[in-house]
Amino acid sequence: MADITVFTARRVRTMEASMPTAEAVAVRDGRIVEVGTLENMAPWLDGYDHEIDDTFSDHVIMPGFIDPHLHPSMAAVLLPMEFTTVVEWDLPWSDIGAVGGRVELLDRLIELDAKLEPEAPLFAWGHHPIWHGEVDRETLNGISATRPVIVWHRGYHSMIVNDACYRWMDIDLEAARRHPQIDVDRGAFFETGLGVAYRHMNSFLLGTERFRAGLDRMRQVIHHGGQTTIGDAAMGMYGFEDEWEHLKAVMERPDTPFRIQLMPFDMGPVGDEESDEAMIERILAYPQRNTHRLRFSDHVKMFADGGFFAELLMLKSPGHLDGRHGEWMTPPERFERVARAFWNAGLRIHVHCTGDLGVEMVLSTLEKLQSERPRFNHRFTFEHFGISSAQQVARMAEVGALASVNAYYVYELSRAFADHTLGYERASQMSRLGSLERAGIRFAVHSDFTMAPAKPLNNAWVAANRLNESGEVMCANERASLDAAIKAITSNAAYVLGLEDEIGSLRWGKQADFTILEADPYDVGAEGLRDIPIWGTVFEGEKFPI
Amino acid sequence: MISSVEPIPVTVLGGYLGAGKTTLVNRLLSGDHGRRLAVLVNDFGEVNIDVDLITSHEGETISLQNGCVCCSIADALGESLDRVLALDPAPDQVVIEASGVADPAKVAAYGYGWPGCRLDAVIVLADAETIQAKAKDQFVGELVTRQLRGADLVLVTKSDLVSPEVLDSVLDWVRSIAAVPVLPVSRGEVDPEVVLAMSRSDLDVGSARVATRGTSPLTDAEAMFETATLALPGPLTRARLEATMSLWSQDVVRVKGIVWVAEADGGNAQPHVVQRVGLRWSIEPATTNIDQETEGGRLVVVVLRGTLDAAALIKDLVDAE
């Protein structure tokens, strides 16, 4: 085995301003020794045993893609299920077409029923009444009289089941009938009623074998998206030590072509059992358990307001279109106290933040912290960044905030939220990337998988085009430039994770993580980003074709 | 004999951070109220239990000498609820301390919907010193107001920390938002009988105990309420009971008791458990065997002292029949 491997390519796209393109990357022990031309590499190549690998002579080498915010554990619960959403999913084990309406949903369920083992429950995730209309128990009895059929809401709000599922759950229907958020006749469980359903289903959904099979699917999803680094933006949602064991068993393997940055999180309103000091001590100790691929660092996660898909964002005036209310996931007083403790301990804070009142609360806290104890290079990051104003963006720039944005909201939700949740003006300006770019704020785009497909090129495509599922361009002025959209899945995503010295661009000393494309995104342009075929990845110098 | 289907009353304690929920929880856990309470709290951090009273602490559950347990919700209310409902013996009542940013009306869905439970009351606490400012806060004002609107009973806490004039204006302000009983509370001293439902152990030993209950060691609190107990001379029709109780004002803080209720005039009367908190009330068939020591049963009525004549209220009920 040679000391140095030189990967040559049709083009190397470095994402380094000093040398944006090159012809070859020389790699030793999983790290880059030099990027440039074979000619210029002569001092290295003359001095060391080397081999030229021209596998990519017809391809473009990009820095390995980075998805800084997703949830492997949520994915592990969901990926063993069948997907029936209004948008298409291209998953490694199958291409799943969009399920556009009620008839299509029922057809899909009939098809799935015919395909599955006789006794296996059919979990179908992705129902949304805006597109699929109402589905009830009788509808699902029509799909199967013997197989449990469960239709789960796109935003995890509600669940519709059939009679066979009632038998499978062994649920007391008379007791369920008294529950205000269970409609036994319709087979519907929603909000707190879901808790009743979960207690009959969790041993199945969270069973070790199924959960690990789900995580293994997650492994494939990440590889197919071209990511070589991902961030788990809330490690421990289903129990910290259990998740840690599952992650080690499934992810820490030589054939896993990516690493995971793990972010512990503040428990929000239920965390007062532990003092802030004890929590910080616990968080600071996590890196001691790091393995090769699973790594904690000094980044922590906090939560401000509720979920975007769940429409629980906290909004400034005029609020929700239908008068409903959002939710604080962390009381503002606790948020400020814990954020101050984290800030003063030198931790880097990421905040889940979806509505403009959520942004306001977080931003005013950050402003306070900056005036109490100024910090540079703090990487305070607004995560998701659903609804905000241009004026808030200007203030974010003043205090050095970053953003990690779910651009995909625009694709799937902008039309539905314009009609049902926010009205057009605000909905069209969700995930405002153009303003961030104009303000000079570095931003990443993420999938928050399974909220969006874990496909960085697709999310960059949404960021740069703002086309929604109905084919409309939503607020062209909030598009990211092509360059910013690509940085958002490479160099700036690395910056958001605090890993800019390790990954995110191609230069000497960095990890030899590449995403291998059939075309250069800068040649293809914004419109074609999502259609660029991915050959596979190189992780720490080793090739992993898809 | 207690039937296994007797639903367990659930009380939800709501209110924003600092409203005094934990103080009340501490009082309920250590109080001499004779009930086995299961109190579900967001965390043990602030619960202050005398270690001498703790008989065991296993994982999420602390058991106390007086038969009460305190259980941490973590983030799974349903699981915690299942855990305490499965206790043997079963608790007399479950108290859920809602998170400071929760909408207690939503949490209440667990009370009336969870298998084996019935909602007794949503009790929302408000800090006399800060509630009005909180209600104007840009981040939580709407939430704080919504919490009050979801209450069956509001306790205005720390009322000893403001002047009588300020307290009056706070009480009026709360009443303008929530048309339910609004009670001032000092130093967390609220009569547990106001907060707690009639217990299954009350039913178990017969209605006589209902009449002897209602005294509290808390003299300040006692002075705030007036309690009247009456043995009803004969059965009431459901229509009469409902019609009369619906006329009682919001100064009637709590009504509880066993009443022999007939569905129609001259019909066969059966013992029913009657519970009312604020404007929420229920008349449910008693599934426990009751020793019939009176013809009609007994009702206990708690009113704010000086606002109403409790004895007269019951007299109205009987005369009307």
Side-chain angles (χ1 to χ4, degrees), chain A residues 114-131:
Chain A
K115 193 187 77 176
L116 289 178
E117 301 283 317
E119 298 294 310
L122 165 51
F123 275 92
W125 167 74
H127 174 247
H128 201 303
I130 290 180
W131 291 282

Side-chain angles (χ1 to χ4, degrees), chain B residues 23-46:
Chain B
T23 306
L24 180 54
V25 161
N26 286 336
R27 227 164 237 288
L28 290 174
L29 282 172
S30 60
D32 177 25
H33 43 67
R35 293 172 181 75
R36 288 188 313 276
L37 298 182
V39 184
L40 308 186
V41 297
N42 282 307
D43 54 80
F44 290 140
E46 313 235 327

